[in-house]
Amino acid sequence: MSVIIAGERSGVGKTTVTLTLLASLRRRDRLVQSFKVGPDYIDPMFHQHVTGRACRNLDPVLTSEAYVQQCFARHSQLSEYALVEGVMGLFDGISSLVNSHLSFAKDKGQRTNDKGQITDFASTAHIARLLNLPVMLVIDCSRLSGSVAAIAHGYQSFDPRIKIAGVVLNRVGSDRHLSLLKDSLEALQLPILGVLRRQDNITIPDRHLGLVPTAELPELNALINRLADLGDTCFDWQHLLPLLKSKPLPHPPHPPHPPSSPVRIAVARDRAFNFYYQDNLDLLQQFGAELVFWSPLEDAAIPKNVQGMYFGGGFPEVFAQQLAENTSVRDAVKTAILQGMPAIAECGGLMYLCEQIIDFEGKSWSMAGVLTTSAVMGGRLTLGYRRAVALQDNLLVKAGTTVYGHEFHRSHLTLTPTQPLFETSRYDCDENMGCEGWGFPANVHASYVHLHWGESREIPQQFLKKCRKVESIET
């Protein structure tokens, strides 16, 4: 058992409510496992900061419906309590052709339109159905009173397969305001599981790609303490704790033993590079990797005796000057890759391997210079799921292989590769999104498309196979 924190739309305070619950549970010394619906990297960072456990993404587009179920079962059963933070509004998903993804055929009861398309695939409601979990609906009450009942009734009755366990009233202004809300909801007999007043001292800063990551917030612990204080008093814990309770496995399954001689992989992880799915890192270790975390911002050299490199996404544009000034590391990265070291570079990692990053103010900052192009920051947001077909054999997949990923960036490249990795299209239709991705040198996989390897385990296996063929490079 667990509960899903859902919103009636984006921006109603799902993350604040989730962190408040997590902070209060941790203050009680409860072992909590959290999950996040969708491809987001930043919200899970906040979850992990509070719980001390890696948050797991539940995304049937990047993986599959079966993987979502397996991931939730495996990790929730290893903790006392579990909860899932939803994405956008409860029923906000994607409209996708039933046959465009293998997992689409598995839920015959999904709501479709007259074109035979699933209209809420990968939504919070879809995950609630997949996992058979009740929903705690967060409603922003800042500009309504009696209308709250119409909103709650609509969400309660829209899909009879979804069980609304109760509501959380957020941004309540006064005792009188709360009284009006309660009076309106009384006829629905829908439990009020929490009431959060308007908070002026609880604000998480954001910027061009969402919330500012945890590593950049020196006052975060103080904020979490304020959230825990709030959580201690604002929730109906008598009703909530049974919903959140997990049943631990008596003997958790052990992952297979990795090969006896591990492959050392340098994983860039600091304020500039921190977008990683924990499942990807787990799979690398499962298949024989020893992960060596390091900082292109702070370290004077790349780690010694490594046989591969992994640059995740993040905000290299925010730290472009500091990255540029660390010339010894930039040179070492370029030398290692040109000497044949395999390297994965996703989004922000791709930008770091370019010749330059040109920031929002038009200033140019030198980067590693492996790719003969520059990354230019702009106002246009590129966002969405992608279906990508490999155009050639490359570091990770064979030609003709289809992978599913997600793009989320405000930069573009000045030059496109002559032999791109992928031909991409939108996930929910056949609209062609062009070719992208750098596979030259051949030991590089640099792409804007973020991949989750949960249902593509051949990817980490192929990467480590290539790494094993390379003798470690002394730096």
Side-chain angles (χ1 to χ4, degrees), residues 41 62 275 277 313 346-347 404-406 408 448-452:
Y41 288 99
L62 299 184
F275 289 6
Y277 293 122
E346 286 188 340
C347 200
Y404 299 91
H406 188 263
F408 190 40
Y448 271 122
V449 180
H450 292 281
L451 300 176
H452 189 297

Side-chain angles (χ1 to χ4, degrees), residues 98 104-112 161:
V98 173
F104 281 172
K106 296 179 182 178
D107 186 353
K108 301 299 184 182
Q110 291 186 89
R111 188 178 302 277
T112 61
R161 295 167 297 170

Side-chain angles (χ1 to χ4, degrees), residues 360-424:
F360 286 109
E361 298 177 352
K363 297 179 180 178
S364 299
W365 307 100
S366 295
M367 294 292 120
V370 175
L371 311 178
T372 56
T373 186
S374 295
V376 182
M377 301 306 301
R380 180 176 176 269
L381 176 63
T382 300
L383 169 67
Y385 289 111
R386 300 289 180 258
R387 182 169 58 250
V389 179
L391 297 174
Q392 55 180 301
D393 289 352
N394 59 68
L395 179 65
L396 301 185
V397 296
K398 300 255 184 216
T401 301
T402 299
V403 294
Y404 299 91
H406 188 263
E407 281 193 79
F408 190 40
H409 55 92
R410 290 190 184 273
S411 67
H412 67 274
L413 303 182
T414 55
L415 295 175
T416 56
T418 56
Q419 293 182 309
L421 292 178
F422 297 118
E423 181 178 19
T424 65

Side-chain angles (χ1 to χ4, degrees), residues 258-385:
S260 56
S261 56
V263 181
R264 283 171 56 85
I265 304 298
V267 181
R269 189 162 69 178
D270 55 20
R271 290 169 297 155
F273 306 100
N274 45 38
F275 289 6
Y276 296 96
Y277 293 122
Q278 183 63 41
D279 289 14
N280 287 4
L281 301 178
D282 290 349
L283 285 169
L284 284 173
Q285 291 177 307
Q286 178 181 323
F287 293 126
E290 176 189 345
L291 304 183
V292 184
F293 296 103
W294 72 291
S295 171
L297 279 173
E298 306 288 348
D299 292 342
I302 63 176
K304 292 183 178 297
N305 303 319
V306 294
Q307 295 164 267
M309 290 189 287
Y310 187 4
F311 296 91
F315 292 97
E317 68 274 16
V318 175
F319 304 96
Q321 180 175 355
Q322 189 174 347
L323 289 168
E325 291 173 348
N326 197 348
T327 56
S328 61
V329 161
R330 289 196 290 110
D331 293 344
V333 167
K334 181 175 183 178
T335 298
I337 292 176
L338 294 183
Q339 288 180 1
M341 183 178 291
I344 299 173
E346 286 188 340
C347 200
L350 174 152
M351 296 166 64
Y352 181 64
L353 296 192
C354 290
E355 292 179 340
Q356 294 176 320
I357 289 178
I358 301 172
D359 65 20
F360 286 109
E361 298 177 352
K363 297 179 180 178
S364 299
W365 307 100
S366 295
M367 294 292 120
V370 175
L371 311 178
T372 56
T373 186
S374 295
V376 182
M377 301 306 301
R380 180 176 176 269
L381 176 63
T382 300
L383 169 67
Y385 289 111

Side-chain angles (χ1 to χ4, degrees), residues 65 98-99 101-110 118 121:
E65 290 174 320
V98 173
N99 294 324
H101 193 292
L102 291 176
S103 65
F104 281 172
K106 296 179 182 178
D107 186 353
K108 301 299 184 182
Q110 291 186 89
I118 298 165
F121 192 84

